[in-house]
Amino acid sequence: MVLAAAATAGVLGLAASAHAAPPPASAYGRFPGVAAAAISPDGRRVGILSGQDDKRFVSIATIDEPNVPVVPLGAGEGLSLAWSGNDHLLLRTAFWFSPRPKEMHRFERHISITPDGKIATRLLENETYSQHFYNQPIMAAPQDGAGKIVLRGGANGGNEGTVMALWRVDPATGLGETIAKGDATTRHFSVDAAGSARVRHDYDSNRITSVEAIHLSRPGQGAALWTRFWSTKLGGRERYLGYSGPEDAVYLFLETGEIVRKRTSDGATEVVDRPSPDTSPDMLWDIGTAAPLAIVTWGATTTYKWLDPEVGAIHASLGKIFKDKEVSLLDWSDDRNCVIFNVESRTSPDAVYLYDRNRKEVSLLGEDYPELKGAPIAQGRWLSFKTRDGKDIQAYLTLPPGAGPGSRPPLVVMAGEGPGVETRASFDYMVQFLASRGYAVLQPYHRGLWGFGDDFYEAGFGEWGGKMQTDLLDAVAAVAGEVDARRPCIVGHDFGGYTALTAIALQPDAWRCAASMGGLSDLGLMMSKRRWFYDYESLALERLRERMGGTGKTKLSGASPARFAGKVGGPVLLIHGDQDTEVDPEQSKVMADALKSAGKPVEHIVMKDEAHYFSRGTNRVQMLEALETFLAQSYPAS
């Protein structure tokens, strides 16, 4: 199989095979070489999203043919790719809108691109009510030849205002029609292979009932007629996992820890799996057939129980080729003979490949960090320990390249990104960068993080600023014999940034310095903004209150590092994107102002045109360079 070289222009750059000095920050901070890839249903074309910052582009390679159209994106942030039939490649992209000062909104939309590299349209461009929704995810790409896809968006709900809806959209024109409408409590739909709405997922935040429920629509009834099929306590362990069109059944995770298949015809239930209680299960689905593919459990490793034997066999074959690495199937042709997959591990940069089953060939599409080819990569290992209250905790320790026995490198603790974020065995550019600079990096998976079972997740409820923080101290104590763990520095992004700031504010004698990227500092400020934005009774706030263990004034103040700036025990670095819509940039400003007022050393960097996840390579590089300088001044590695 041959993919024209231009298809991966700028993706497969080579680096020198030997490095006298560690690679520069730009080798780690660059935007990944292959941000997304998708293959057409007939297996003839591959779409690739790549490039850097304002020079990102989509290329469309036709297998075994030389012509490779390239679509430049300019400053647009490309996110993912998907094919609608063989004639339209859909690019999910993001843009920002600021209706008034200090208010920023991020929207995601789909752009339709033809195989010759022409932009056809933006989907649902003129649908007024749907424009209020921040995203319009693809729910189905029917294989019936109609050439239309199903998106989730908004529609006129009459007295209820704008409500969740499903749209059938023509990718050639961007025009669509509403095919199902929810009500004020609807948060999700599931569809069959034809794109017809079959399941509606609602919630009720009434303080007495507080339930979430799924409703069914029978074939031929029309999407306006729904029957309640299943309900459970809002925020409980039971959860809806998806709808299987071929089986006409829903999959549920029950309080008992079982995953069951529940037939819609008669409600009969069959146990499908009993995942280990120290893992967190999820499911993979085929968007083309609305069929379940696998049960996936997250934890120290990712495991699959394949429900589709053919896809499972493909995954097993590729796993034998790439031993000791994690293989993730990304997309495949309708006949499943051409498969795009990702290969990742903690000790090698991710790479994307194309597998041709007929030819038994594997072709490299691109590597995420090509400039690191030949550079020393830090190695690490899992370790387990018990916390002071007897809970079993895991952590991952990465040592600098070449660190020998007894070297005892200085320790940086990398705080986890927060509740609901699963653990993956993927290459972490920041961990590897810090290790290349001579630091050991410890990643403790404290209670409250997703991936180690419901008991472990729920053990973090109400422990913001509490046992989540002491778990970190216990993790540091567990590695004290191998690294220099005397007052380490703590670094984190998102919730990890909050954890880092809380650590140095509430445990000042234990930490030397702290760096927060896009982190929280004032929980009361966060809640006041979210109440205004979401409505006090919203599902988002309901779940947030549960995690925080309440939102009383004393509770919020006692776990807000900005309120304890005077107790901070070392220098602080704050980095925030000015277009962050996940964590308000004001959170870093409030912390910086509080530290300055208390006479504490602080550096506050606001990155222009940057969102929450630091998706611009130049800003990632600037972040790493700022972190390197900060550590060299506060906690030098040598």
Side-chain angles (χ1 to χ4, degrees), residues 576-596:
H576 222 118
D578 66 346
Q579 293 183 338
D580 192 337
T581 58
E582 299 288 329
V583 177
D584 195 319
E586 188 178 2
Q587 289 285 336
S588 286
K589 183 180 185 304
V590 166
M591 188 71 190
D593 291 345
L595 290 169
K596 290 175 183 176

Side-chain angles (χ1 to χ4, degrees), residues 327-359:
V327 173
S328 302
L329 306 183
L330 303 179
D331 198 15
W332 48 80
S333 57
D334 282 349
D335 61 10
R336 294 176 171 174
N337 284 327
C338 292
V339 179
I340 294 177
F341 65 99
N342 185 70
V343 176
E344 58 188 344
S345 79
R346 289 179 179 269
T347 56
S348 62
D350 295 7
V352 179
Y353 295 85
L354 176 64
Y355 172 49
D356 188 315
R357 280 205 295 172
N358 291 333
R359 300 184 183 186

Side-chain angles (χ1 to χ4, degrees), residues 359-404:
R359 300 184 183 186
K360 295 183 171 56
E361 292 179 352
V362 172
S363 305
L364 178 66
L365 296 182
E367 298 171 313
D368 277 1
Y369 300 96
E371 291 84 2
L372 292 180
K373 186 178 292 293
I377 299 296
Q379 304 297 305
R381 74 176 195 280
W382 283 98
L383 56 95
S384 300
F385 60 94
K386 281 193 178 293
T387 64
R388 59 194 66 188
D389 63 347
K391 183 163 289 293
D392 292 319
I393 298 286
Q394 297 191 64
Y396 194 83
L397 178 65
T398 302
L399 297 176

Side-chain angles (χ1 to χ4, degrees), residues 103-161:
E103 183 180 338
M104 184 70 67
H105 299 274
R106 181 179 184 273
F107 293 86
E108 294 180 4
R109 295 293 183 263
H110 286 90
I111 296 173
S112 179
I113 303 171
T114 60
D116 58 355
K118 307 296 183 184
I119 294 179
T121 186
R122 194 167 87 173
L123 305 187
L124 293 184
E125 175 74 11
N126 299 319
E127 296 300 337
T128 302
Y129 288 95
S130 192
Q131 293 306 308
H132 294 293
F133 278 65
Y134 289 116
N135 52 54
Q136 298 172 349
I138 297 173
M139 305 302 296
Q143 301 173 335
D144 56 8
K148 295 185 178 181
I149 59 171
V150 175
L151 296 180
R152 193 180 74 208
N156 183 2
N159 294 333
E160 295 175 336

Side-chain angles (χ1 to χ4, degrees), residues 84-364:
S84 174
N86 298 307
D87 298 325
H88 294 92
L89 177 63
L90 305 180
L91 166 68
R92 182 169 63 97
T93 185
F95 66 94
W96 285 259
F97 173 65
S98 180
R100 56 184 65 89
K102 296 185 179 180
E103 183 180 338
M104 184 70 67
H105 299 274
R106 181 179 184 273
F107 293 86
E108 294 180 4
R109 295 293 183 263
H110 286 90
I111 296 173
S112 179
I113 303 171
T114 60
D116 58 355
K118 307 296 183 184
I119 294 179
T121 186
R122 194 167 87 173
L123 305 187
L124 293 184
E125 175 74 11
N126 299 319
E127 296 300 337
T128 302
Y129 288 95
S130 192
Q131 293 306 308
H132 294 293
F133 278 65
Y134 289 116
N135 52 54
Q136 298 172 349
I138 297 173
M139 305 302 296
Q143 301 173 335
D144 56 8
K148 295 185 178 181
I149 59 171
V150 175
L151 296 180
R152 193 180 74 208
N156 183 2
N159 294 333
E160 295 175 336
T162 303
V163 297
M164 187 74 71
L166 291 183
W167 291 80
R168 193 180 301 276
V169 185
D170 186 342
T173 64
L175 301 179
E177 59 178 342
T178 307
I179 60 173
K181 227 191 286 192
D183 58 29
T185 65
T186 301
R187 286 297 173 267
H188 189 64
F189 285 95
S190 295
V191 300
D192 58 22
S196 299
R198 294 302 313 280
V199 174
R200 196 184 79 201
H201 190 183
D202 296 352
Y203 82 94
D204 177 3
S205 61
N206 180 285
R207 290 297 181 186
I208 299 175
T209 56
S210 292
V211 299
E212 51 185 331
I214 59 172
H215 299 75
L216 297 179
S217 174
R218 297 289 182 192
Q221 283 186 325
L225 299 176
W226 297 93
T227 303
R228 178 174 286 210
F229 183 68
W230 174 82
S231 61
T232 188
K233 179 183 176 182
L234 182 67
R237 292 188 177 186
E238 292 191 340
R239 52 188 178 268
Y240 167 69
L241 298 176
Y243 170 75
S244 170
E247 301 167 302
D248 193 21
V250 299
Y251 281 74
L252 306 169
F253 181 78
L254 301 183
E255 185 77 31
T256 59
E258 298 170 322
I259 293 178
V260 300
R261 179 192 299 112
K262 189 177 181 70
R263 292 202 305 258
T264 66
S265 58
D266 57 9
T269 299
E270 175 187 0
V271 176
V272 179
D273 194 25
R274 292 181 177 87
S276 172
D278 60 354
T279 64
S280 300
D282 202 351
M283 291 187 69
L284 295 182
W285 296 84
D286 188 326
I287 193 173
T289 62
L293 295 174
I295 296 170
V296 187
T297 52
W298 310 106
T301 59
T302 304
T303 61
Y304 297 84
K305 177 177 181 177
W306 290 99
L307 305 177
D308 185 310
E310 183 181 24
V311 178
I314 294 172
H315 185 265
S317 297
L318 296 174
K320 293 177 182 178
I321 298 174
F322 296 93
K323 294 180 180 179
D324 302 321
K325 295 185 179 182
E326 187 168 308
V327 173
S328 302
L329 306 183
L330 303 179
D331 198 15
W332 48 80
S333 57
D334 282 349
D335 61 10
R336 294 176 171 174
N337 284 327
C338 292
V339 179
I340 294 177
F341 65 99
N342 185 70
V343 176
E344 58 188 344
S345 79
R346 289 179 179 269
T347 56
S348 62
D350 295 7
V352 179
Y353 295 85
L354 176 64
Y355 172 49
D356 188 315
R357 280 205 295 172
N358 291 333
R359 300 184 183 186
K360 295 183 171 56
E361 292 179 352
V362 172
S363 305
L364 178 66

